[in-house]
Amino acid sequence: MTERHLDRLAIEIRNVSRSFGSRKILNEIDLTIRRGELFGLLGPSGSGKTTLVKLIAGLDAPSVGSVLLLGERMPSRRALGRVGYMAQSDALYSELTGKQNLEFFASLYGLSGARRTERIASVMKLVDLTGHLNKLVSAYSGGMKRRLSLAVSLLHEPELLLLDEPTVGIDPVLRQSIWKELLSLRGRGITIVLTTHVMDEADRCDRIGLIREGRLTAVDSPEGLKQASGASTIEEAFIVLGGGTRA
């Protein structure tokens, strides 16, 4: 990661809380993420990871506080074309083929002609779905749908990727291939924020935010979290730091 990217912020989250009725899902979140950083949100189901990612993506608005994405206060339509978003639930059209899905989303991103053809071929090769381009998505397995969703998020070569549990349901060999590509994208200065509950994935991030019951309990590099907790693994560090006060 270059100093040029380290000096600029991709995401600024200031005193953000999100409530649904009387239930508080996120509680006073403060977080900054640098451009070119690979940042992981680690926490159990129901901890608030997906809600926080939706706020960053501009799909929801905080009850309190502010979210700035690439300098734009969210929600912002102007920022959307610079972001690739992969939701936890696949937003695909089952009655269309994989190729037709990609063509539809490519048109939304303004891709056409030879450029669109090249990008579709590239992302489908990455997720190992080239042989399934003309198959209806309704015939895809759950893992194939996850891979197609990842391909959609990468189509327009975004400046920032928001990935909610991107490798759920994907076999270990392909998961390694996807991580190789994510690290390559990070090396080219693309900011990546992903949620996970897989400890070895968290270990590959530049920094990790530990989240539990809507609060960030610690934010640091994997090694920094291990040192702070006296633990030898991220899993042990999460157990030690997960119930602590917000970092």
Side-chain angles (χ1 to χ4, degrees):
M1 194 186 309
T2 66
E3 288 297 319
R4 181 171 64 87
H5 289 113
L6 284 170
D7 290 340
R8 296 184 296 158
L9 293 179
I11 298 168
E12 298 178 70
I13 300 170
R14 301 297 185 193
N15 191 38
V16 161
S17 295
R18 182 65 174 105
S19 299
F20 294 94
S22 61
R23 186 183 177 199
K24 184 168 281 190
I25 306 300
L26 294 174
N27 197 340
E28 298 179 0
I29 300 290
D30 282 297
L31 178 66
T32 58
I33 297 173
R34 297 181 290 268
R35 296 198 186 210
E37 185 172 21
L38 173 50
F39 188 91
L41 281 168
L42 178 64
S45 297
S47 59
K49 301 190 304 296
T50 293
T51 300
L52 183 55
V53 169
K54 286 182 176 180
L55 292 178
I56 296 171
L59 300 176
D60 192 11
S63 303
V64 176
S66 64
V67 177
L68 270 69
L69 179 68
L70 301 172
E72 298 280 351
R73 186 174 180 127
M74 301 303 286
S76 166
R77 291 179 62 88
R78 288 186 298 181
L80 294 182
R82 303 165 68 189
V83 176
Y85 173 62
M86 178 181 176
Q88 195 174 75
S89 299
D90 300 304
L92 302 168
Y93 293 96
S94 297
E95 68 275 16
L96 301 179
T97 65
K99 182 180 181 180
Q100 288 169 334
N101 268 273
L102 289 168
E103 288 175 337
F104 170 74
F105 286 105
S107 68
L108 295 182
Y109 293 131
L111 299 175
S112 60
R115 180 60 177 158
R116 181 178 72 177
T117 300
E118 184 274 326
R119 288 304 301 156
I120 289 174
S122 178
V123 296
M124 288 299 265
K125 181 179 179 181
L126 167 66
V127 299
D128 195 26
L129 285 176
T130 301
H132 302 279
L133 266 171
N134 297 311
K135 180 184 291 186
L136 290 175
V137 170
S138 59
Y140 278 28
S141 67
M144 291 168 69
K145 290 177 182 177
R146 292 304 288 159
R147 287 146 59 190
L148 183 59
S149 292
L150 178 58
V152 168
S153 74
L154 292 168
L155 259 178
H156 58 306
E157 298 184 288
E159 295 176 49
L160 189 149
L161 270 175
L162 300 172
L163 308 175
D164 197 357
E165 306 263 359
T167 60
V168 169
I170 293 177
D171 70 77
V173 173
L174 186 58
R175 187 160 68 97
Q176 292 296 320
S177 174
I178 288 172
W179 264 96
K180 181 179 179 180
E181 180 64 16
L182 292 179
L183 293 172
S184 174
L185 292 170
R186 187 273 308 272
R188 299 204 298 269
I190 293 173
T191 309
I192 302 171
V193 179
L194 61 87
T195 72
T196 185
H197 58 260
V198 181
M199 299 299 165
D200 73 306
E201 291 190 350
D203 236 337
R204 301 185 188 194
C205 297
D206 296 316
R207 288 191 303 150
I208 308 167
L210 304 184
I211 187 167
R212 182 189 292 255
E213 297 178 349
R215 288 186 178 272
L216 278 176
T217 62
V219 178
D220 206 341
S221 67
E223 287 306 312
L225 292 174
K226 293 172 191 174
Q227 291 176 12
S229 61
S232 59
T233 67
I234 287 296
E235 185 171 17
E236 292 171 355
F238 182 76
I239 292 170
V240 173
L241 300 172
T245 57
R246 180 165 55 90

